[in-house]
Amino acid sequence: MLVIGCIGGALFVEIQLCPTVLAAIGTGVAYEGGSLPLHLTYLILILVALAVAVASCFLDSINDEEKESLKKTFALPRLAGAAGVAGVLAIVGIILSSTLPNRMEQQGANDGTSSSQPAAKKFAIDLQKEFGDKVDAGYTFNPTSVHFTKEGNQYSAYTDENEWKSAIQSAVGSSYERSDANLVYCFEGAYAEGWQGDYSKHYAYLYIWDDGLYNGESDGKKIYGYWYDTEEGGEAGATLVMIDTRGSDCDMVCSVNTSKFYKWVTEVKSDLNRGRTIKAFGYYYYPTIGFYVDPGVDYVVVEKAEDIDDSITLGWTGMRVLNNYTVGSVFDAAANLKFSAAKDSDEENVKVVTATWKTYSWDTKIYIGSAPAAEEAPASPAAAE
């Protein structure tokens, strides 16, 4: 019975895992890994093992002579059955392994990410060519060179708490555009409670200045404080700490983030529901000089114009370009990135979708039928004026 219980537990786990894999194949959105042929193989083997285990429980009720008779009677069928099960498993694996890629390819064709044309290459862009004329050569501040120790920050020496809070708030102010200091880091983050069907977002922003202070807001409430990291600096060993004027329970210790764009991640305390925290990500600040859209492929191709609908932009990513050519995805794109309906262009069998973010816009071409020949294709998409 213990063996049957263990096999039953394995069957339960496998039944729980299969729907996730099936959903990923059905929707094209895979949050977890998993191979359907492998899961089906496990499922069949577990069912066979469970059947054998259950049958073995009844062997004690059969005498020795009957057992020998049954062994002789069913020896060949059992061998044939085992071979049959193995054959079925092999056939299932071969069929699924060969058909699933085709189904996924067909699904890609339906959502505009693939077609009968050869597989498209990933999107590439020459940042210097597209945005070189937008670079502000006069912006020479280097945020990576700014570091403070706790003792080296003058605001850590105050002994009177009220005086300390007043001095910080007066010095840093509530504006995020200061003429008396340079930005070192910018943090941004959002949180959705999801309580009782309310999925509205709550935001946190932090602005870290080179005079050792920071300001920002958490769920709409202004916050202030001072910061330090280490004399040595550098992400490898540094710990970025922000001391908050709201109290020690609101102080923030930032962890080094693995993202190429965001260097730090922290939890910002808010007043939401008695102290929820909002995860915020920080990057070295340089002025934004441009914006473009990465559709994931070099050219977006559909079989016919009727295939173009709102879903075609679901996999597209809006990218901001900073003054040092660093790029990062648009923050909270669902709220801030807008796509127009596809409209006609001056080229035959080509539609254009315009994306807008803040004061920037970008046109992405959609080719109907086939991508342009290599000699006709532009080096990279052109930015909208």
Side-chain angles (χ1 to χ4, degrees):
M1 294 303 293
L2 178 62
V3 173
I4 293 177
C6 292
I7 297 174
L11 178 61
F12 175 77
V13 171
E14 192 57 44
I15 291 174
Q16 295 292 315
L17 292 174
C18 283
T20 303
V21 181
L22 292 171
I25 293 173
T27 63
V29 180
Y31 290 103
E32 300 178 9
S35 166
L36 182 59
L38 189 60
H39 277 296
L40 290 177
T41 302
Y42 285 155
L43 186 59
I44 294 172
L45 287 175
I46 291 171
L47 289 172
V48 171
L50 185 59
V52 172
V54 171
S56 67
C57 293
F58 297 95
L59 290 179
D60 290 340
S61 63
I62 304 175
N63 59 42
D64 293 340
E65 292 182 1
E66 290 175 327
K67 288 180 182 179
E68 290 300 324
S69 176
L70 288 172
K71 287 181 180 179
K72 293 178 181 179
T73 302
F74 293 103
L76 184 59
R78 283 189 301 173
L79 179 61
V85 170
V88 169
L89 293 177
I91 292 172
V92 169
I94 292 172
I95 292 175
L96 289 173
S97 298
S98 60
T99 59
L100 281 177
N102 293 333
R103 291 180 183 178
M104 296 302 287
E105 181 179 350
Q106 181 61 41
Q107 180 181 349
N110 293 336
D111 65 16
T113 59
S114 180
S115 71
S116 58
Q117 303 299 318
K121 292 180 280 186
K122 288 186 177 181
F123 177 84
I125 186 171
D126 186 335
L127 293 173
Q128 188 168 4
K129 180 178 180 180
E130 295 292 347
F131 303 102
D133 61 337
K134 306 293 193 302
V135 172
D136 180 3
Y139 190 85
T140 59
F141 176 70
N142 178 14
T144 66
S145 65
V146 182
H147 301 284
F148 284 92
T149 60
K150 183 175 183 179
E151 296 75 15
N153 192 313
Q154 61 175 319
Y155 294 95
S156 67
Y158 280 78
T159 56
D160 184 280
E161 184 176 359
N162 291 329
E163 183 182 353
W164 172 71
K165 290 181 180 180
S166 178
I168 289 177
Q169 187 169 342
S170 175
V172 71
S174 58
S175 173
Y176 308 139
E177 297 180 0
R178 299 173 59 192
S179 59
D180 59 337
N182 294 297
L183 269 173
V184 180
Y185 298 102
C186 282
F187 280 75
E188 54 197 14
Y191 170 79
E193 181 73 10
W195 176 250
Q196 295 182 343
D198 179 12
Y199 294 94
S200 57
K201 289 185 178 179
H202 305 267
Y203 297 91
Y205 301 96
L206 297 172
Y207 302 87
I208 318 300
W209 304 92
D210 67 347
D211 60 354
L213 298 176
Y214 74 85
N215 56 8
E217 59 185 83
S218 176
D219 194 23
K221 181 179 180 179
K222 297 290 185 179
I223 56 178
Y224 312 90
Y226 74 89
W227 67 278
Y228 61 88
D229 51 2
T230 175
E231 279 186 334
E232 293 80 10
E235 286 76 24
T239 300
L240 182 60
V241 179
M242 286 176 278
I243 306 300
D244 201 295
T245 58
R246 292 175 293 172
S248 58
D249 61 332
C250 295
D251 293 346
M252 292 164 277
V253 178
C254 305
S255 302
V256 176
N257 196 46
T258 56
S259 164
K260 291 183 179 179
F261 182 70
Y262 292 111
K263 304 302 180 182
W264 301 96
V265 58
T266 191
E267 300 281 347
V268 184
K269 195 74 172 289
S270 76
D271 292 335
L272 176 67
N273 288 350
R274 300 181 181 179
R276 292 286 194 268
T277 59
I278 302 174
K279 183 170 289 187
F281 298 86
Y283 62 93
Y284 283 123
Y285 174 80
Y286 292 89
T288 301
I289 61 172
F291 156 79
Y292 68 91
V293 171
D294 179 359
V297 292
D298 55 351
Y299 301 109
V300 181
V301 182
V302 296
E303 293 292 339
K304 52 187 182 300
E306 291 74 16
D307 294 335
I308 303 175
D309 56 28
D310 292 341
S311 66
I312 200 169
T313 62
L314 290 178
W316 297 8
T317 306
M319 305 296 293
R320 51 187 152 174
V321 183
L322 305 188
N323 202 57
N324 64 339
Y325 294 122
T326 298
V327 297
S329 59
V330 169
F331 172 64
D332 196 18
N336 299 315
L337 179 59
K338 306 298 181 184
F339 293 100
S340 71
K343 54 183 181 290
D344 294 333
S345 71
D346 295 334
E347 302 176 56
E348 186 178 1
N349 293 325
V350 175
K351 299 283 188 178
V352 173
V353 172
T354 299
T356 55
W357 172 68
K358 294 187 176 181
T359 60
Y360 304 97
S361 63
W362 183 268
D363 285 348
T364 299
K365 294 181 178 180
I366 301 175
Y367 296 88
I368 302 171
S370 62
E375 61 271 13
E376 300 173 0
S380 63
E385 295 297 333

